[in-house]
Amino acid sequence: MNPESPQSRTPDPRIAWTTPTPALIAVTVGGVILAGAAILADEAPSRLLIGLAAAGLLVLAGLGFRQRPRLSVIPGHEPRLVVRSLVGPTEYTRDQIVRARVVGYRRLGRKTPMLEIDVRHNGDERLLIFGRWDLGASPDDVFDTLLVHGLASLPAD
């Protein structure tokens, strides 16, 4: 069997989206630089404000690294959507997904697409919102992949 033949390739069992690693590294480096600036600051208010900014960036980077991959699809006969949060991954079946759609929100004077997914979780309904930062890709592209795998449907007119 030729290693280049289609029969020898195993399909990727998971399709995943996450915050790009270079972006998280840049945020981490920025946090470390701000922490150094806070240590070198002469005045206490400056030290406090710069230290808070450094802590915020480092926490943001830590959350980004902890929640990798943020959203993934496990394809197959019964596809599942996996959402990773601070406490770990949560799987949702097709029956648990109430609605998925891309909505444009106004942010900083322009419309930004966000992926909204309504799910049933332990008897409650949850709204999950993912932006480009969370997914590392366009929310429209992720929605298209959810459509292909049957985890979303187009709205009826």
Side-chain angles (χ1 to χ4, degrees):
M1 185 190 268
N2 182 357
E4 299 290 315
S5 70
Q7 290 83 13
S8 67
R9 280 188 247 139
T10 57
D12 186 2
R14 176 177 276 213
I15 301 151
W17 299 273
T18 188
T19 305
T21 303
L24 291 175
I25 290 171
V27 170
T28 304
V29 168
V32 170
I33 290 171
L34 282 176
I39 291 169
L40 297 175
D42 292 334
E43 300 173 356
S46 299
R47 209 174 292 128
L48 174 69
L49 292 175
I50 296 171
L52 287 175
L57 283 178
L58 292 173
V59 166
L60 182 66
L63 291 174
F65 281 118
R66 170 76 174 108
Q67 298 176 5
R68 295 179 67 87
R70 187 73 173 106
L71 184 69
S72 59
V73 172
I74 301 174
H77 178 64
E78 286 293 323
R80 295 181 310 275
L81 182 69
V82 180
V83 179
R84 184 174 288 276
S85 65
L86 287 176
V87 295
T90 305
E91 286 189 13
Y92 298 103
T93 62
R94 185 178 300 152
D95 297 333
Q96 291 176 294
I97 299 172
V98 177
R99 177 179 59 185
R101 64 186 181 155
V102 176
V103 178
Y105 287 100
R106 289 218 171 267
R107 297 181 84 188
L108 300 174
R110 65 184 194 127
K111 234 177 179 179
T112 306
M114 303 289 256
L115 177 65
E116 285 187 354
I117 304 174
D118 290 313
V119 294
R120 279 189 221 98
H121 182 79
N122 296 333
D124 293 329
E125 204 169 299
R126 282 189 173 172
L127 176 63
L128 308 172
I129 301 176
F130 302 98
R132 190 169 193 68
W133 173 262
D134 299 311
L135 302 172
S138 170
D140 293 311
D141 296 340
V142 176
F143 180 75
D144 291 342
T145 303
L146 294 179
L147 281 173
V148 167
H149 292 284
L151 295 169
S153 60
L154 292 173
D157 291 332

